[in-house]
Amino acid sequence: MSETLSLRNLEWALTTITELFLLVYLLRRKLFRSHALFFAYILAVTLQSILLAATYRIWGSQSYRAWLIAWLSQLVMEAARLAAVTEVVRRVLSPFSGIWALGRRVLFVAAGSVLVYAALLSREYWFKLPLNVDRAMGLAVAAVLVTLLLFARYYGLPMDNLDRSLCLGFCLYSCFCVINDSLYDKWLLGYLNFWNFLGVLTFLASLFLWLGAVRAYSETAPACDPVVVPKELYGELSSELNIRLRLLNEHLNQLLHSGAQR
Amino acid sequence: MNFTIILFILLAVLLIGALVWAIRPPKRKLVSVNDVLTALSEERHYSRLPQILQALRPEDTAFLRARGFVLLRRRIRSERGRIALLYLDCLQEEYEKLLEASRVVAAMAPELVALDEAERFKLNLRFALGCRYLRWKLRLGLEPWRGFGLLSEMTSGMALRLEVATSQIGERAALSFAVSSIVKERDRGTR
């Protein structure tokens, strides 16, 4: 137990140092302007670490106050994480107005359905509200990011390495949060320290990923604005392309069915 | 173990799997607006379909079996299968080019028609599955149509629909010039 505790303290220290490094790099690369909400998120996480360290020192980690402060600050972190993810989504999709208009609706529906799903499945555990909120948000964030990546892949949208790393880091962290919360819910009630250790470890992995991407970030030439065609023209072209695609599908069907007409 | 917990964990693992798949760099190369216009005006492979269909029909080589040329018939059928595979490659290439073109157009659009996009996505899935299925059948030397006894026959109605669709395409070919002029104008403006 004490070994886990000292390891956890070491992990916390390492996480806080990495967060500070990341903040410094974000400032040095002037990314706090283009990635303002991500910068705010990392800043908030650092402040949360300091707040929790002070709380545990004053009231002890097992006190009700510490529990309350930890979960309330965690709710703030959830909001900050969601805001940072929204910023990434906006940055990737918004240069393409048509895709952005469709994409934000799809992403909103994806996030909404996951939240409703998580709420419905968690209703019998209402007394574990903070844990359920953490899990639902984790699932929603992961669903949004995976949908975003699939969208970007489908439409071949450009995405720089930093945004890709942010998606990867947030998504992996969120998925592990869901797994961690679920396991904790069932099995690990007696192993709070170990659960905390795993949670911080996955966040540390994401921090390293982001740090690497921010360090490697270089200001490239600004991409030229995408060409925009009038809406009517898009409608015409789009339906023409769909007709052609349907035509090819029907050709394939003819090939598949060819032997049947005898 | 609680079913709800399993569902949550399963969903998270599924999302990690989808993330790993989605984060890979795309294989296809990005095409320019010019490529879109070329794709819209290129020669089609449609015109060869009747010959391919004819060649794949078992009756077309049935007389060889009746006259005892079983080996020859088998060789001819395998050759025809190979040709059908090549045709399928061309069809798929053309399909992918058009799909890529539609994505480029979508990226240029100020607003997307969700139904068009959804239909394209559905068509894409259908085509990819059908193509894979047919290719494997042809590769394995199986007659693809054998398993399709229940499938509906090709009706004259479908042929008519194809005719209508093809003529619509002809009417709309002029649109590509409109896009071309917009791009040129914009290029001139940015220079």
Side-chain angles (χ1 to χ4, degrees), chain B residues 98-118:
Chain B
L98 282 173
L99 206 62
E100 193 60 49
S102 71
R103 286 163 181 159
V104 173
V105 171
M108 293 190 299
E111 200 177 309
L112 298 187
V113 180
L115 282 177
D116 272 7
E117 299 299 314

Side-chain angles (χ1 to χ4, degrees), chain A:
Chain A
M1 184 71 149
S2 62
E3 269 178 24
T4 316
L5 267 175
S6 56
L7 201 62
R8 199 191 74 187
N9 290 342
L10 187 73
E11 192 189 36
W12 267 30
L14 188 62
T15 307
T16 311
I17 291 168
T18 316
E19 284 161 5
L20 290 171
F21 263 111
L22 185 56
L23 282 174
V24 169
Y25 270 106
L26 285 168
L27 284 168
R28 277 183 62 185
R29 298 262 192 264
K30 294 189 172 59
L31 285 167
F32 58 90
R33 287 182 198 143
S34 57
H35 297 67
L37 292 175
F38 176 65
F39 180 79
Y41 171 70
I42 297 296
L43 189 66
V45 169
T46 314
L47 291 176
Q48 188 199 29
S49 302
I50 296 166
L51 176 74
L52 288 183
T55 307
Y56 291 167
R57 183 170 284 272
I58 298 168
W59 290 295
S61 61
Q62 304 297 319
S63 67
Y64 173 71
R65 273 184 187 167
W67 179 87
L68 196 66
I69 290 173
W71 280 118
L72 283 177
S73 65
Q74 190 56 32
L75 287 181
V76 176
M77 288 308 109
E78 300 297 351
R81 179 162 53 142
L82 197 64
V85 166
T86 312
E87 185 186 51
V88 177
V89 171
R90 193 186 182 87
R91 202 170 33 248
V92 174
L93 296 184
S94 66
F96 308 94
S97 52
I99 294 176
W100 172 228
L102 180 68
R104 66 182 168 208
R105 271 180 271 158
V106 171
L107 292 173
F108 186 74
V109 169
S113 358
V114 167
L115 282 175
V116 169
Y117 166 82
L120 285 176
L121 284 186
S122 310
R123 66 183 189 281
E124 53 190 298
Y125 305 112
W126 61 268
F127 52 93
K128 292 176 192 165
L129 189 68
L131 194 73
N132 288 334
V133 169
D134 191 42
R135 183 165 53 194
M137 287 297 279
L139 213 52
V141 162
V144 163
L145 287 172
V146 167
T147 314
L148 168 73
L149 287 168
L150 290 174
F151 232 80
R153 192 180 168 80
Y154 182 75
Y155 285 110
L157 305 181
M159 208 171 170
D160 65 30
N161 193 39
L162 179 56
D163 281 337
R164 203 176 286 273
S165 299
L166 289 182
C167 287
L168 192 63
F170 273 124
C171 194
L172 282 178
Y173 174 59
S174 302
C175 286
F176 282 113
C177 273
V178 174
I179 295 173
N180 266 1
D181 288 347
S182 302
L183 289 177
Y184 170 74
D185 195 11
K186 187 69 188 170
W187 284 338
L188 300 179
L189 277 166
Y191 300 93
L192 183 66
N193 287 326
F194 182 66
W195 176 74
N196 270 333
F197 174 77
L198 284 181
V200 178
L201 193 69
T202 50
F203 185 65
L204 187 62
S206 295
L207 276 177
F208 277 125
L209 198 73
W210 295 332
L211 188 62
V214 170
R215 277 188 65 183
Y217 183 83
S218 66
E219 194 75 49
T220 48
C224 56
D225 294 333
V227 180
V228 178
V229 296
K231 193 182 164 189
E232 297 75 30
L233 190 57
Y234 156 74
E236 293 283 347
L237 279 172
S238 174
S239 56
E240 183 190 328
L241 282 161
N242 272 7
I243 288 171
R244 291 250 180 105
L245 292 172
R246 213 178 302 138
L247 207 64
L248 284 170
N249 252 298
E250 291 191 349
H251 276 79
L252 188 74
N253 277 343
Q254 284 183 48
L255 271 170
L256 282 168
H257 302 186
S258 59
Q261 48 156 338
R262 264 178 282 177

Side-chain angles (χ1 to χ4, degrees), chain B:
Chain B
M1 198 173 174
N2 192 326
F3 181 66
T4 314
I5 305 292
I6 296 175
L7 268 184
F8 274 122
I9 294 174
L10 207 66
L11 204 61
V13 172
L14 272 177
L15 282 170
I16 292 174
L19 172 76
V20 170
W21 187 83
I23 203 89
R24 293 172 311 146
K27 274 183 201 164
R28 62 197 158 82
K29 53 182 186 297
L30 296 174
V31 296
S32 65
V33 182
N34 283 339
D35 293 332
V36 176
L37 301 179
T38 314
L40 288 173
S41 54
E42 255 178 4
E43 193 203 349
R44 325 258 170 268
H45 299 286
Y46 309 152
S47 52
R48 279 116 196 166
L49 185 67
Q51 288 87 339
I52 298 287
L53 290 178
Q54 175 71 33
L56 285 175
R57 271 185 205 129
E59 309 86 278
D60 209 46
T61 50
F63 72 97
L64 287 172
R65 196 191 348 220
R67 290 179 191 180
F69 298 111
V70 179
L71 280 177
L72 180 65
R73 179 183 180 269
R74 199 173 296 157
R75 212 181 73 204
I76 287 175
R77 290 211 59 78
S78 109
E79 278 292 304
R80 288 179 174 190
R82 201 177 53 80
I83 291 166
L85 266 174
L86 289 175
Y87 178 78
L88 199 60
D89 286 344
C90 292
L91 213 59
Q92 191 173 17
E93 194 187 315
E94 190 174 334
Y95 193 89
E96 277 164 11
K97 207 177 275 180
L98 282 173
L99 206 62
E100 193 60 49
S102 71
R103 286 163 181 159
V104 173
V105 171
M108 293 190 299
E111 200 177 309
L112 298 187
V113 180
L115 282 177
D116 272 7
E117 299 299 314
E119 190 193 347
R120 201 170 297 144
F121 184 73
K122 204 172 72 186
L123 284 173
N124 185 22
L125 279 182
R126 255 176 59 192
F127 189 87
L129 289 175
C131 214
R132 192 158 290 188
Y133 182 77
L134 188 58
R135 184 166 282 130
W136 274 109
K137 284 265 184 179
L138 286 166
R139 269 191 199 138
L140 292 170
L142 301 170
E143 292 178 346
W145 44 86
R146 287 287 184 216
F148 288 87
L150 291 175
L151 288 174
S152 61
E153 287 188 356
M154 203 170 67
T155 58
S156 57
M158 183 192 272
L160 190 69
R161 280 212 320 273
L162 291 180
E163 287 260 345
V164 172
T166 317
S167 66
Q168 275 179 334
I169 288 166
E171 283 165 19
R172 290 170 182 192
L175 278 170
S176 57
F177 292 106
V179 182
S180 164
S181 60
I182 284 173
V183 174
K184 274 179 192 157
E185 240 172 61
R186 189 188 163 278
D187 283 352
R188 247 180 264 135
T190 50
R191 256 170 229 159

